[in-house]
Amino acid sequence: QVQLVESGGGLVQAGGSLRLSCVVSGDTATLNGLGWFRQSPGNDRELVAAIDNKETIKYADVVKDRCAISRDDAKNIVTLLMDKLKPEDTAVYYCRVGHYYDGDFSPAADYWGQGTQVTVSS
């Protein structure tokens, strides 16, 4: 019943910006955390940013100075703003909702969107 739909990906030149959005629906009352992950060919899926219901935020070191995550619970949307994009940012970006405590998502909470492709050209 829980569904997540990402949008905003696309092709951008190095140094450009993108705004990714994820619309969340379904019964997520007990799932306090929202996050963005990414995965490129040959690599593991990695955390980009996460935010909990108290708006505590965590960023991966490689994107910390170039990204901003926010949530709008009234509209059920989590947004990732990305600036100064680099070719190594190229990946499929996935939205996730689940239990999030002490800086980590619980593996038991495994609700993901389909992903949106971000391609950064050099």
Side-chain angles (χ1 to χ4, degrees):
Q1 187 174 358
V2 176
Q3 296 182 6
L4 300 86
V5 180
E6 303 98 333
S7 63
L11 176 64
V12 63
Q13 293 186 356
S17 301
L18 284 175
R19 181 180 186 270
L20 306 182
S21 296
C22 174
V23 179
V24 183
S25 62
D27 186 5
T28 61
T30 63
L31 307 176
N32 67 305
L34 294 165
W36 286 95
F37 291 70
R38 69 185 184 184
Q39 186 170 25
S40 58
N43 296 311
D44 294 331
R45 190 171 297 185
E46 64 180 4
L47 174 71
V48 178
I51 182 170
D52 68 11
N53 60 316
K54 297 182 179 180
E55 299 189 6
T56 301
I57 295 172
K58 179 181 180 180
Y59 294 105
D61 288 340
V62 294
V63 302
K64 183 176 181 179
D65 296 329
R66 302 183 292 113
C67 292
I69 188 171
S70 62
R71 61 188 292 166
D72 185 339
D73 291 336
K75 297 181 179 180
N76 297 319
I77 295 175
V78 58
T79 300
L80 181 70
L81 303 178
M82 300 188 295
D83 297 321
K84 300 179 180 178
L85 288 164
K86 305 175 181 179
E88 52 263 43
D89 294 320
T90 296
V92 178
Y93 284 70
Y94 298 90
C95 183
R96 184 183 188 181
V97 60
H99 295 291
Y100 182 79
Y101 298 102
D102 298 323
D104 292 300
F105 282 94
S106 169
D110 196 23
Y111 297 103
W112 299 87
Q114 293 297 115
T116 184
Q117 176 72 48
V118 172
T119 302
V120 184
S121 62
S122 60

